[in-house]
Amino acid sequence: MINEQLDKLKNEWLAEVTVDEIQEKLDRYEITSRELVLMYLSRIADIDQSGPKINSIIEVNPDALHIAAALDYERKTKGSRGPLHGIPILIKDNIDTADKMHTSAGSLVLANSYAKEDATLVKQLREAGAIILGKTNLTEWANFIAQDMPSGYSSRGGQVLNPYGASFIVGGSSSGSGAAIAANLAVAAVGTETSGSILSPASQNSLVGIKPTVGLISRKGIIPISHTQDTAGPMARTVKDATILLNSLRGIDPLDAATQSNELVHHDFTHHLKKDGLSGKKIGIARNTYFDELSESQLAVMNQSIKKLEELGAIVIDSIDIPSTNENWDINVMLYEFKTDLQAYLKTIDSSVGVRTLTDLIQANEQLGEKALKYGQKVFLDADLTSGNLTSPEYLESLEKDDYLSKTKGIDAAMKEHELDALVFPNANGEMIPAKAGYPSITVPAGYTNEGEPVGITFTAKAYMEPTLIEIAYSYEQGTKHRVAPFKQ
């Protein structure tokens, strides 16, 4: 970078910087948002596209510098809009942005697809003054195209690498969002989750990831999998930054029916950033089954984390059972809803892309051959075998079963029996049941294995219990301070 002062800031200050620290410098005019964007673009060049080459960014917003300059001028002439004014944010590439960037879900078939309008959450971010810096790579189609596709791979974007080590899984499907924020390529990012796609990359990249209650954030303008389970959510390096971002994402949208029952539409989540938030909280450890997949080193980290919860004032009940854990689960709800929801989305994109149905996508992939189908499209094919409407007895029975087993015989039962404020899962191992319930979870860095691989601790609760989860997560974070930036270990 030609400007030595900016180069120094990029290397010494930008890494691990928080929203509050940036706003302090912006308000004092010690830095501008335009300079901030330049520094992040330089880090993307140094870290993402060369050097470690983690490959987390699929596209950069060509207007980012102009938007930043406009927001700098607005700050001088009218003042700040709020905590996200002039803050660079990354967006997963399955979220519509009506600008010069594409929205492709990592697919070569949609590589030239432009959204006609912003997703609702993108509109809200722009209104809050955020700068959409770029789109992040992901596991293609949010990991709902092939059975054996590795997390972080897309035919359009290639393979995302974990900045803590190329041998570690990066987590999916919001892989690029996780790797980019871990590597300090933006302040925060928006990921999406159907089952583990925010929590997993947050755990694997030593980040905070909030998977909110389904309906807290509008899904309008997000390439869908399942309207029963889909949600967007924030990914950041601190609980506070993730909470600030959550404040700007939540809301009621007349175009997303799930948001009509949003109990927290006007709630300020930052009120729950309490250092003593664990004091008196009753927390159950879902040890049975969920801890079985951990390595010896990961288990040691989790056991230390559980001990720390008690030291920070929590009442810990170890080895609780979730009654439905070992039930015979299926993915019928996702398979049926994917075909229906995706085809509704495809009607909104430009006809020049040439796909309107799931069958069209399958055929387009086949025409592209190995370039598009390195790992096949078995999930696409299975979904295309469904009826394409939601009247099938198989679908309706699975929908009812998932709802009952995940809620009444699942999380609700476990929390009621032990009068819990939250459940604990290791990493994202327990994401399926809360995902099927549409319940919220938050992942926080818990430490690192002997090999340096990040380990996350995930707190889960019932619908619209985000305030409680934020109190727990913030208290744990402040009492441990586990996160260490990559490339420094």
Side-chain angles (χ1 to χ4, degrees):
M1 185 178 286
I2 296 173
N3 189 316
E4 292 183 4
Q5 182 180 3
L6 289 183
D7 200 35
K8 184 178 180 181
L9 279 172
K10 179 191 75 171
N11 293 319
E12 297 180 6
W13 174 74
L14 197 63
E16 302 299 286
V17 71
T18 66
V19 169
D20 285 348
E21 290 167 342
I22 290 173
Q23 289 297 349
E24 185 177 349
K25 282 192 177 291
L26 288 171
D27 288 340
R28 292 178 178 177
Y29 300 106
E30 294 175 7
I31 192 173
T32 65
S33 290
R34 189 178 187 280
E35 290 170 336
L36 190 62
V37 167
L38 279 170
M39 287 191 289
Y40 277 124
L41 292 176
S42 180
R43 282 187 68 86
I44 289 169
D46 293 345
I47 295 171
D48 199 62
Q49 301 301 309
S50 58
K53 202 169 184 179
I54 61 174
N55 199 37
S56 64
I57 311 294
I58 204 166
E59 199 163 354
V60 165
N61 185 354
D63 289 328
L65 285 171
H66 299 301
I67 294 168
L71 288 165
D72 286 331
Y73 180 74
E74 182 179 324
R75 183 185 296 271
K76 285 183 179 181
T77 57
K78 297 180 181 179
S80 173
R81 299 186 193 183
L84 289 184
H85 187 113
I87 300 293
I89 302 292
L90 289 167
I91 301 293
K92 188 176 178 181
D93 185 40
N94 61 346
I95 302 174
D96 286 348
T97 55
D99 49 25
K100 296 175 183 175
M101 294 186 290
H102 304 88
T103 303
S104 73
S107 166
L108 288 176
V109 176
L110 298 189
N112 294 313
S113 178
Y114 291 96
K116 294 180 180 179
E117 61 178 324
D118 283 337
T120 299
L121 72 84
V122 173
K123 292 178 184 177
Q124 292 171 195
L125 288 175
R126 295 195 202 274
E127 289 168 3
I131 301 164
I132 309 303
L133 182 64
K135 294 284 189 79
T136 54
N137 200 357
L138 69 160
T139 315
E140 187 169 338
W141 290 104
N143 201 24
F144 210 72
I145 177 174
Q147 290 181 328
D148 300 317
M149 184 173 284
S151 63
Y153 175 83
S154 72
S155 56
R156 180 185 174 212
Q159 181 65 53
V160 181
L161 299 180
N162 190 318
Y164 288 91
S167 63
F168 303 142
I169 64 170
V170 70
S173 66
S174 303
S175 320
S177 299
I181 301 308
N184 288 275
L185 304 184
V187 181
V190 179
T192 67
E193 173 160 331
T194 305
S195 185
S197 292
I198 290 172
L199 303 177
S200 171
S203 293
Q204 287 299 129
N205 291 277
S206 201
L207 293 180
V208 175
I210 301 177
K211 182 266 178 183
T213 304
V214 171
L216 187 72
I217 298 171
S218 172
R219 288 87 54 85
K220 174 66 170 63
I222 300 176
I223 298 177
I225 292 178
S226 162
H227 58 261
T228 297
Q229 297 182 206
D230 288 350
T231 183
M235 302 175 73
R237 291 181 290 273
T238 70
V239 174
K240 185 171 185 179
D241 282 359
T243 302
I244 289 170
L245 184 52
L246 185 63
N247 268 352
S248 290
L249 295 173
R250 53 100 173 96
I252 291 177
D253 184 352
L255 298 176
D256 183 354
T259 66
Q260 302 304 307
S261 57
N262 186 346
E263 298 177 12
L264 301 172
V265 60
H266 299 301
H267 198 82
D268 184 351
F269 294 106
T270 62
H271 290 163
H272 300 278
L273 298 169
K274 302 176 181 180
K275 287 189 177 182
D276 64 349
L278 273 166
S279 181
K281 293 290 196 303
K282 205 170 182 181
I283 297 177
I285 311 302
R287 189 178 292 272
N288 298 333
T289 302
Y290 301 105
F291 280 63
D292 295 347
E293 300 175 21
L294 300 180
S295 68
E296 184 176 335
S297 186
Q298 289 172 329
L299 182 59
V301 172
M302 284 304 303
N303 286 336
Q304 186 60 40
S305 296
I306 293 166
K307 181 180 178 181
K308 192 65 180 179
L309 290 173
E310 292 181 305
E311 292 175 5
L312 292 169
I315 302 165
V316 172
I317 302 177
D318 211 337
S319 297
I320 69 145
D321 288 315
I322 298 175
S324 59
T325 293
N326 296 315
E327 292 283 350
N328 185 25
W329 298 91
D330 60 52
I331 63 167
N332 289 335
V333 170
M334 287 191 286
L335 288 172
Y336 275 87
E337 292 183 354
F338 178 65
K339 184 173 183 178
T340 300
D341 295 352
L342 179 64
Q343 292 183 163
Y345 172 82
L346 291 175
K347 291 178 182 177
T348 71
I349 67 174
D350 196 284
S351 59
S352 63
V353 178
V355 289
R356 280 290 183 265
T357 67
L358 180 54
T359 303
D360 292 342
L361 276 174
I362 290 169
Q363 292 174 350
N365 279 329
E366 289 173 348
Q367 290 173 5
L368 289 168
E370 179 70 11
K371 291 186 295 182
L373 296 176
K374 184 177 181 180
Y375 298 98
Q377 53 181 340
K378 177 67 164 57
V379 178
F380 267 20
L381 293 168
D382 288 346
D384 204 33
L385 290 175
T386 65
S387 61
N389 60 55
L390 302 180
T391 60
S392 165
E394 182 181 45
Y395 164 72
L396 294 173
E397 288 169 6
S398 288
L399 181 67
E400 182 181 22
K401 183 184 78 172
D402 282 358
D403 190 78
Y404 173 71
L405 293 179
S406 63
K407 296 177 182 177
T408 306
K409 195 181 175 182
I411 293 170
D412 294 7
M415 292 188 69
K416 182 179 180 180
E417 179 183 355
H418 301 285
E419 299 179 324
L420 301 176
D421 293 292
L423 292 160
V424 161
F425 296 96
N427 284 339
N429 290 3
E431 85 280 355
M432 183 193 70
I433 293 180
K436 286 181 177 292
Y439 284 177
S441 298
I442 182 167
T443 288
V444 186
Y448 303 85
T449 66
N450 295 333
E451 298 75 29
E453 183 176 14
V455 177
I457 183 170
T458 298
F459 302 97
T460 294
K462 294 170 67 175
Y464 298 108
M465 287 185 68
E466 281 85 352
T468 298
L469 292 179
I470 289 169
E471 289 179 8
I472 290 169
Y474 185 73
S475 180
Y476 177 81
E477 174 198 56
Q478 294 301 300
T480 58
K481 298 284 188 178
H482 281 306
R483 178 174 160 79
V484 177
F487 317 123
K488 291 183 179 181
Q489 297 204 112

